[in-house]
Amino acid sequence: MKDLRELCSAIGMPREVTDRVIMEDGGTKNRYSRDSFDKLFCEESWEEGRAELKEQLGSDPDGIKMLACMLRGCLRTWSLYEEKNISEQIYIDTMKCFTRFVEEHEESFGRYGFDRDFWVVRQMSGLLFRLGELEYEMICEDGTEYLSIHIPSDAVLSEERIQESYCRARAFFDGRFPKYRDADMVCHSWLLSPALKELLAPGSRILGFQEHFTIRETGDYDDEFLQWVFKRKDIPTEDLPENTSLQRRMKEYLLRGGKVADAEGVWRRETE
């Protein structure tokens, strides 16, 4: 990737946002320090770097200045892919998260914006890759490596595509990151919530996805699912939309006092 416009085109960024990114990049890239920018590429300094950059960029109500800064960082990330001989298609698929987040913001609030800077440092640092329908993040905790599975909002959770993604991931990490060759795959998500068995019909793709995991921990109530199911978390329960069958069933469930807790599961190797 040579420049921001080429990157924005490759990941399908809306033209309106692309034009604003190019404009903001020209006006802000000399306002932030190289030291702060470099911190975005090291997990230990992510939070510090983001805080410094936000202060240096100044007023940024819709996050487009930060978006321009981070997309410029993605041009640097491309060199990491080249070093590991990772394909341009995987790079594009991974960086499409920026477009997805911008479009989700527009769907939620009626205007384009970017509020996921806390998340995309993983993609920029070369720790998270999209391989087919799912994303896989390399994590090391207390000397133990594992792969954290994330489910993008546009993922198709059919059995065929989930299996394809899993097989791609095993081959990908085996060839490029051997420390993760046989690492456990762990998913922490509301999509693994036991409550969904009450809300979804047998044979649903989400329930089929759950079958791949052995649940080892169920968390407390978390409202993150509201963002993904209803597009916003700040809507009173009685006013939640009812545009899909899941929305209707979940709203009724919540109004009855039901809770949707997230859960953590480990990929069951016997389902491979």
Side-chain angles (χ1 to χ4, degrees), residues 35-37 39-40 42-56:
D35 179 64
S36 298
F37 183 71
K39 290 176 181 178
L40 297 180
C42 178
E43 185 174 1
E44 289 73 21
S45 59
W46 283 345
E47 295 304 311
E48 183 179 1
R50 285 176 50 241
E52 291 175 1
L53 286 168
K54 287 186 175 185
E55 182 176 357
Q56 293 162 15

Side-chain angles (χ1 to χ4, degrees), residues 50 76 85 107 110 122 130 143 147 174 192 210 220 225 242 244:
R50 285 176 50 241
R76 172 169 157 180
N85 195 29
E107 186 176 5
R122 294 161 173 79
R130 182 159 187 176
L147 294 168
D174 179 64
L192 297 184
Q210 288 189 356
D220 297 324
F225 73 94
E242 301 180 37
T244 68

Side-chain angles (χ1 to χ4, degrees), residues 2 21 23-24 40 105 120 160 191 197 215 231 250:
K2 298 177 181 178
V21 162
M23 181 184 70
E24 294 292 0
L40 297 180
H105 189 282
V120 295
E160 180 182 7
L191 286 171
K197 290 181 170 62
I215 304 301
K231 309 307 177 185
M250 188 168 285

Side-chain angles (χ1 to χ4, degrees), residues 2 19 29 54 56 78 91 93 123 131 178 203 228-229 238 243 247:
K2 298 177 181 178
D19 290 343
K29 63 183 178 182
K54 287 186 175 185
Q56 293 162 15
W78 172 238
Y91 173 81
D93 289 345
Q123 286 89 339
L131 303 166
W228 306 116
V229 178
E238 59 272 19
N243 300 320
Q247 287 179 343

Side-chain angles (χ1 to χ4, degrees), residues 133-144:
E133 297 301 319
L134 304 175
E135 296 173 329
Y136 301 84
E137 179 184 0
M138 296 182 290
I139 294 180
C140 181
E141 289 183 350
D142 301 322
T144 300

